[in-house]
Amino acid sequence: MVDPVLASRLQFALTTIVHIIFPVMSMGLAPFLIYFTWKEIRTKQPVYEQLRRFWTRIFAVSFVVGTVTGLVLEFEFGTNFAAFSTTAGELFGGPLALEGMMAFMLEATFLGIFVFGRDRVSDRLYFLSSIAVGLGTWLSAVWILIANSWMQTPRGFEIVVENGNRIVKLTDPLAAYLNPRFPYMFIHMQNAAVESVALFMAGVAAYYVFRHHVWGYPIKHIDFWEKTLKIALAVLLITAPLQVIQGDEYARHVSETQPQKFAAMEAVWETDSYVPEYIVAFPTDVNDLLNPRTKDLFGIGIPGGASWLASGGNPQATIRGLESFSTKAPPVAIVFWAFRIMVALGFWFILLAVWGVYRWWRGELFEDDLLHKALMASSLLGFVAVEVGWIVTEVGRQPWVIQGVMRTSAGVSPSLTGAEATFTLLGFVAGYILLLSLYTYVVGRIIRAGPPPRDELTQSDAAHIQESEVTSGD
Amino acid sequence: MTNVESLATKPLFGLPLAELWFALLFFIFGMFLFLDGFDFGVGVLFATRNDDHEKEQLLAAVGPFWDGNEVWLVVFGGALFAAFPSVYANLFSRYYLLMFAILAALGLRGLAPEMYEEREDDRWRTLWGYSFVIGSTVTPFLLGLFVMNWLVGATGLITPVGVLGGVTVLVLTIVDGAAFLGLKTRGALRDEMRDYGIRAAVGYLGIAIITLGVIYVTEPGLRSSFRSITVVALVMLTATLTGIYTVALRRRRYYAAFAATATLVFGLVGLVATLLFPFVDRTAGLTVREAIISTLPLNIMSIMASVLLPIVLGYFVVLYSAFSGPVDTEETYG
């Protein structure tokens, strides 16, 4: 039997780790879909209709699975973190309610039109639906990140004791909702979503381009994949550098507002100046290999690097060590390595973007098989970067569920028993493995089937044929 | 600045906001139960179909709608969290396993049609067809169980009145689904759905009366509420509307039947709200006034909700007008 506190934490971690995949897919696809729809209506070129229809199918599946996992997430605050919900509800519940009313409703209703209604509504309403869907996904992120960023840098509240419970009372809504972390988090998340989807698109397109141009297999509608690859690379060239540059500022902001998290990211135990930026670090004692909080580390790094990054240019700057905090350090190794994986991937994506665009500019985009392989291998790495990034954010802020106000362990539902929590945790593991397998299977089938055939697209009475084609299981 | 200060100290326009939010919460739940209710009902009626083409038509009927309908449940959860956080916390942690069972069933219902359309072979379709039926049957049953537990303040998960509540809601979704299919299908399929609808309506009236009787006998704490005018009116309304529904279906007035269903659903939800009031969580002994959040966030949420919810209703008007009328016989769920 797992302790209810640990089980709740694991279950919540699992829920969020699985859930984030689907919003990233839909938030990242949204701008592409708006662009495809606009080009389809404006240029009447069949390739844009193919692009719109193909990627809308993936969007729709991601949305359905995301609704399933997101609904679980919404109620899990009540089921597993009742004490947190009681304490923070006044500040935390509002954004969740507003997310539902302002964003999710917009997305879900117009998605019905966007997926099923091409032949039922005017071009104008159809284009507006694509914008409504996209806006809905991004507004969802606004409210969810307002809620999350408030937990990282809580502002605009006071604590009152009511019926023996500590209750967070909202005193200044603007300060609370537009807390210092929010803009950093929002830009980082949204750009990451677009970047991840660009990488995914580029990887899938590279596979077909590689088979066609390098292996010489005839691929139907190869221009569809060539177009996808180019659009994805163009977007990657913008998003990849932006992510790293903005990420650097974000990390500096973390060092100012959550010094304990920053110390864990850099594995700094003793407060010191001229702190190196470790590239890697390992426990000096083999017995500590599995202890995430070991203090005796051997690292290889850039002298003064961490100080330089934290202060924005001064290698002599002092960084507060984990020893100087009264609370127990988060599992440092997890935060340290997750941060490094994320940063390394961030730079790798820039390299990929520059490499791809350079080949494109030279007119060699479809010949460079090494580039194709690199893109294929990186197709899911954007999602990996998002996952490790959120691990830095969420594991790094432990033991706090609300920074400096409430500990995660104090937030768990008092009535929850170990048996209940263990039972649902096991159910989650099984259910989410099944869910992810099904999702991968369906997306894999959509990709293998390729874009919808073009000869059906431009006919005026294409609706019926299209529909039966879609259902014929490709 | 005075406006901002009064926002923090006085309820908006001096309105009884706690009570209004209690009503709004049940309105949102009613919207969910009415709209997603017909999706559930269609899912239950799916079990009666053997013909592939008819199954496709049922899926096509709910295809563009169900996801938007389900979001009313998301909004319900959010609104409960925002307005009555302690109730949100108590309720969902108290009925912990029941809540996860609901979420699992709801997940199955959402996933199944998507999977069903993915492949054409019989075994696959049988599997996901069953999943769709199970998800669509279990979800409303458990929702009814949950709401009944909430109403009577049950401490256990499965109670006799809870089971009756579950069956009541399940049958109501069939009533709902049959009326909806009256608008969405044609010919022989529609006639068969109509017959199921009429039988379900009669069954609903019976089971609702039995459930109310059992509550009256087993829950002495609720007895005084039964004598209120509102409760009597709502019960009579339910009986009348079941009659109207049946007559409307017989005369093929499907819009009238659908409207009667809406009133039936809101009648039931209104009944639950009336019986629960002034409590919002009987087990925890929390009344509406005790559980409501403080004035400032309440005022803000009230402003936001009164601006946003009419807009949201507008989205639904756009969606339902874009897909009005019966599904084409060729049209399928893509």
Side-chain angles (χ1 to χ4, degrees), chain A residues 422-443:
Chain A
T422 310
F423 178 73
T424 54
L425 178 61
L426 292 174
F428 267 75
V429 172
Y432 278 7
I433 287 173
L434 184 71
L435 199 67
L436 275 180
S437 318
L438 286 170
Y439 178 72
T440 316
Y441 172 73
V442 171
V443 171

Side-chain angles (χ1 to χ4, degrees), chain A residues 26-255:
Chain A
S26 46
M27 292 187 303
L29 274 172
F32 287 98
L33 292 180
I34 295 172
Y35 174 73
F36 296 154
T37 309
W38 183 68
K39 292 291 274 186
E40 177 192 338
I41 291 169
R42 272 310 180 81
T43 68
K44 310 267 187 244
Q45 282 180 34
V47 70
Y48 288 108
E49 183 173 350
Q50 283 180 308
L51 282 165
R52 192 259 306 161
R53 285 181 51 187
F54 179 83
W55 293 104
T56 298
R57 283 208 68 193
I58 293 186
F59 185 99
V61 176
S62 310
F63 183 75
V64 167
V65 182
T67 307
V68 170
T69 55
L71 200 63
V72 174
L73 192 52
E74 192 199 14
F75 286 98
E76 232 168 352
F77 294 109
T79 51
N80 291 71
F81 293 92
F84 162 77
S85 301
T86 306
T87 295
E90 201 170 297
L91 265 128
F92 197 83
L96 291 197
L98 292 172
E99 190 255 350
M101 289 182 213
M102 190 185 275
F104 205 176
M105 280 293 192
L106 184 66
E107 186 184 359
T109 47
F110 282 93
L111 188 65
I113 295 179
F114 190 66
V115 172
F116 299 98
R118 183 71 184 93
D119 305 303
R120 279 181 172 259
V121 299
S122 65
D123 279 358
R124 178 183 300 215
L125 179 56
Y126 192 74
F127 179 60
L128 282 176
S129 317
S130 75
I131 291 181
V133 170
L135 191 67
T137 62
W138 281 53
L139 279 175
S140 272
V142 169
W143 289 108
I144 296 303
L145 294 180
I146 280 176
N148 185 285
S149 61
W150 180 80
M151 298 156 98
Q152 314 278 347
T153 50
R155 298 287 186 278
F157 69 98
E158 62 182 12
I159 293 170
V160 190
V161 176
E162 263 178 22
N163 309 324
N165 291 322
R166 287 168 79 224
I167 306 285
V168 169
K169 291 277 173 195
L170 180 67
T171 53
D172 184 346
L174 280 183
Y177 287 178
L178 301 176
N179 64 77
R181 177 61 51 80
F182 172 68
Y184 291 97
M185 208 175 228
F186 182 71
I187 295 170
H188 207 59
M189 180 73 243
Q190 299 316 99
N191 194 59
V194 179
E195 187 182 3
S196 303
V197 167
L199 281 159
F200 181 66
M201 285 180 146
V204 174
Y207 168 73
Y208 281 106
V209 166
F210 174 79
R211 284 177 53 115
H212 186 84
H213 289 286
V214 180
W215 277 3
Y217 289 149
I219 300 286
K220 261 194 196 170
H221 310 298
I222 188 66
D223 63 324
F224 170 92
W225 295 112
E226 290 171 356
K227 190 109 198 164
T228 304
L229 181 57
K230 285 179 179 171
I231 292 171
L233 280 176
V235 171
L236 194 60
L237 188 68
I238 301 164
T239 50
L242 178 65
Q243 193 67 359
V244 169
I245 294 165
Q246 194 261 344
D248 171 53
E249 286 180 31
Y250 186 170
R252 204 145 44 240
H253 171 75
V254 170
S255 80

Side-chain angles (χ1 to χ4, degrees), chain B residues 89-231:
Chain B
N90 280 318
L91 204 56
F92 297 138
S93 60
R94 185 182 320 132
Y95 304 122
Y96 182 85
L97 292 176
L98 187 53
M99 203 53 218
F100 281 109
I102 292 172
L103 293 171
L106 209 50
L108 191 65
R109 190 286 304 257
L111 209 57
E114 200 70 31
M115 290 298 138
Y116 184 90
E117 293 296 344
E118 203 50 47
R119 273 168 54 174
E120 284 220 310
D121 54 290
D122 283 347
R123 280 181 62 190
W124 179 268
R125 291 215 153 177
T126 309
L127 171 72
W128 290 107
Y130 275 124
S131 305
F132 182 51
V133 174
I134 292 168
S136 304
T137 311
V138 173
T139 310
F141 173 76
L142 292 179
L143 279 167
L145 178 62
F146 180 90
V147 172
M148 192 57 88
N149 282 350
W150 177 14
L151 169 64
V152 302
T155 42
L157 290 187
I158 300 170
T159 53
V161 277
V163 171
L164 279 171
V167 177
T168 309
V169 172
L170 175 60
V171 176
L172 182 57
T173 63
I174 302 172
V175 173
D176 198 354
F180 178 71
L181 287 174
L183 296 169
K184 287 286 156 192
T185 57
R186 291 192 176 102
L189 176 61
R190 181 163 64 180
D191 289 343
E192 283 187 51
M193 292 300 116
R194 193 184 61 163
D195 294 344
Y196 282 114
I198 291 169
R199 271 181 264 167
V202 175
Y204 173 68
L205 187 61
I207 190 88
I209 289 168
I210 292 170
T211 309
L212 281 174
V214 171
I215 298 175
Y216 188 83
V217 173
T218 57
E219 303 294 333
L222 287 169
R223 245 172 241 172
S224 57
S225 315
F226 268 86
R227 288 168 206 134
S228 86
I229 295 287
T230 325
V231 171

Side-chain angles (χ1 to χ4, degrees), chain A residues 338-351:
Chain A
F339 183 60
R340 263 140 203 80
I341 294 167
M342 177 184 73
V343 172
L345 287 173
F347 281 105
W348 167 242
F349 300 153
I350 296 179
L351 184 75

Side-chain angles (χ1 to χ4, degrees), chain A residues 112 115-116, chain B residues 39 57-68 113 180 327 333-334:
Chain A
V115 172
F116 299 98
Chain B
D39 301 326
Q57 278 181 284
L58 295 201
L59 289 176
V62 295
F65 306 118
W66 73 265
D67 218 322
F180 178 71
V327 287
Y333 183 90

Side-chain angles (χ1 to χ4, degrees), chain B residues 241-292:
Chain B
L241 277 153
T242 318
I244 292 176
Y245 173 91
T246 317
V247 172
L249 273 193
R250 287 234 164 86
R251 294 188 181 169
R252 300 175 191 277
R253 299 278 174 84
Y254 298 105
Y255 273 108
F258 196 50
T261 311
T263 323
L264 273 181
V265 172
F266 283 101
L268 179 68
V269 171
L271 193 59
V272 172
T274 315
L275 288 175
L276 186 59
F277 192 79
F279 286 99
V280 59
D281 182 350
R282 201 177 295 272
T283 316
L286 287 168
T287 62
V288 170
R289 297 229 163 177
E290 288 164 346
I292 195 76

